[in-house]
Amino acid sequence: MANYPTPHIDATPDDFAPTVLMPGDPLRAGFIADNFLQNAKLVNNVRGIQGYTGFYEGCRVSVMASGMGMPSIGIYSYELFNFFGVDNIMRIGSAGAISEKIRVRDIVIGMGACTNSDYASQYHLPGSFAPICSYGMLKVCTETASEMGLRYHVGNLLSSDTFYNDVEGLPEAFIPSKAWGKMGVMAIEMEAAALYMNAARAGKNALAICTVSDHLITGEETTAEERRSSFTDMMELALKTAKKLEK
Ligand code: HPA
């Protein structure tokens, strides 16, 4: 018996291209399809998690929302890798910077993803797992970002289970942004580690790239227009990377 449609994706393997871009927000999946893809077809809309497959400069590519957080991206990326034959998933999201070297609107590319989540416990490992991206995807992505003249940083992300942290009364050293920042972590987001673990387990490829929407140390923020334009740059970076991966 085929394992599709799944409870969360009402499609067949033929509906998806080998590379799927995953923004968190379903409306952004629609935005990419409307503005960057030719002949885009809606291939999933279960729970409003819009998925589209179309063509970018002649390359067949899919875009589907991940929702927010590790449980959500964990479900969608698991099903895409294991039941729909997808080879590469590229998260395109936003992150809060915790490194002074990083400015809002910069792009952070997760070579690794630390986490405060218990996601890895399902694998029963006799130690801790280091979630890392696909080197092949990272290489193509950084080459492309350099060609495009984008400001980007490659390093560790923190995939956090919480957006709001109860830090009342905590000494500064224990505040998550300070503690992880001390270890050179660039920025906090909420999905990369689960995506990287699912890719590792499935023998597939994943990469998380994020635009920095806010700075948790300096308090610098982006305007809605800045967020929109920097998201557009990242989308083009992801689409060009997807196209090169097909060669
Ligand atoms: N925390 C987690 N995820 C985020 C943040 C944050 O501060 N900013 C953008 N995505």
Side-chain angles (χ1 to χ4, degrees), residues 94-96 160 162-163 188-190 213-214 216:
S94 65
S160 176
T162 47
F163 185 89
I188 307 182
E189 53 82 72
M190 304 184 74
S213 55
D214 48 312
L216 304 182

Side-chain angles (χ1 to χ4, degrees), residues 118-135:
D118 198 32
Y119 197 86
S121 67
Q122 65 179 304
Y123 305 115
H124 307 289
L125 301 167
S128 56
F129 183 74
I132 55 168
C133 74
S134 148
Y135 175 69

Side-chain angles (χ1 to χ4, degrees), residues 36-57:
F36 291 92
L37 300 185
Q38 281 86 49
N39 295 323
K41 290 197 178 58
L42 184 72
V43 295
N44 186 54
N45 202 12
V46 178
R47 291 175 182 249
I49 291 288
Q50 298 174 23
Y52 295 87
T53 297
F55 292 85
Y56 176 75
E57 295 177 355

